[in-house]
Amino acid sequence: MSIARAQADTAALAAWQDLDVGDHDGASRHYMLAKQAASRAGDSVLLAHAIGEHAVMLAETGKAADAAANVAKAEAMPMLPMLLRSWLAATHAQVAATLPGHEQSVRAALSRAEIDLVRSTDGDEASMPYLSLNAVHLQRWQGHVLVRAGDTAGADVARAALNGLPEEFVRARCGQLLDLAEANLSHAWDEAREHLDAADSTIAHLGSVRLRKRHELLSRRLRCRFALE
């Protein structure tokens, strides 16, 4: 069973790397392998985590309804550690943000994520090294979700999270810059451009296709707004 657990963990990591470089077919295969291996091992924690990560990919590739169903399936699993439940609730919010008319679901899920994080125990993170979640990371996630959902509170949350993130979290800080750029697209174009410029060189260094595509999309939206003036 330990081999199946290792396979599930490794496959989920490979899937996330596939997603980052834009290989959605590869990510789907690896997520399927991760879920199969976790099921063979009888490890509901690894299974719920793989299902949640797969849901993020489904939402980002236009399959938000399937993503929501997947998250609900994971959240319904019994006896999951509170840290994982917090992570799943935040994932639920991220998926719900891609569905129209789900603003209340987004906020309710973010609230659950906060409560479950407080209720988590000290040993949770050590037992799930593949899952990085603490108060700072949850705040970053909240800012991202609120910005993507079009909530005006997202900019302040994202800004506070960026200020609290250690410098070594390069990828996370880059994501926050994109969140702030998106939040400023409707009213503060110069600030949006500054955030996009700041993120540009970091994305090139990281080689993340996922971040690059979002940067290009936001840059196009910004150019269109300038063109309309």
Side-chain angles (χ1 to χ4, degrees), residues 12-210:
L13 176 59
W16 193 254
Q17 291 172 334
D18 289 337
L19 178 60
D20 192 48
V21 299
D23 183 2
H24 297 148
D25 289 338
S28 293
R29 289 193 297 271
H30 277 119
Y31 279 132
M32 184 61 67
L33 177 60
K35 288 185 284 188
Q36 289 173 343
S39 294
R40 284 201 307 274
D43 194 320
S44 60
V45 172
L46 280 172
L47 180 58
H49 180 256
I51 291 173
E53 278 200 355
H54 191 200
V56 172
M57 191 201 81
L58 289 172
E60 290 187 6
T61 54
K63 300 176 181 177
D66 290 340
N70 272 264
V71 173
K73 178 181 178 182
E75 289 185 297
M77 293 181 180
M79 306 299 291
L80 296 179
M82 281 299 159
L83 187 65
L84 180 57
R85 290 207 173 279
S86 175
W87 183 88
L88 285 170
T91 301
H92 182 133
Q94 182 172 342
V95 169
T98 65
L99 292 164
H102 281 65
E103 292 80 5
Q104 289 186 342
S105 295
V106 169
R107 285 217 171 250
L110 290 178
S111 179
R112 288 202 309 276
E114 285 187 2
I115 294 170
D116 288 343
L117 182 61
V118 171
R119 295 169 64 193
S120 64
T121 61
D122 292 337
D124 281 354
E125 192 165 354
S127 66
M128 295 175 285
Y130 46 84
L131 194 157
S132 296
L133 187 64
N134 56 29
V136 173
H137 286 301
L138 181 57
Q139 185 182 43
R140 174 177 63 86
W141 205 343
Q142 288 171 324
H144 172 73
V145 170
L146 291 173
V147 167
R148 300 311 300 269
D151 192 312
T152 55
D156 290 338
V157 178
R159 189 174 296 106
L162 180 61
N163 291 335
L165 272 175
E167 293 291 335
E168 59 266 26
F169 288 97
V170 177
R171 182 184 295 269
R173 292 181 66 84
C174 185
Q176 290 302 106
L177 288 171
L178 294 181
D179 290 336
L180 288 170
E182 183 168 348
N184 286 320
L185 277 178
S186 63
H187 61 283
W189 298 343
D190 289 340
E191 289 185 37
R193 172 51 62 194
E194 288 176 7
H195 293 312
L196 287 171
D197 289 345
D200 187 51
S201 58
T202 302
I203 293 173
H205 174 71
L206 292 172
S208 172
V209 173
R210 189 170 176 238

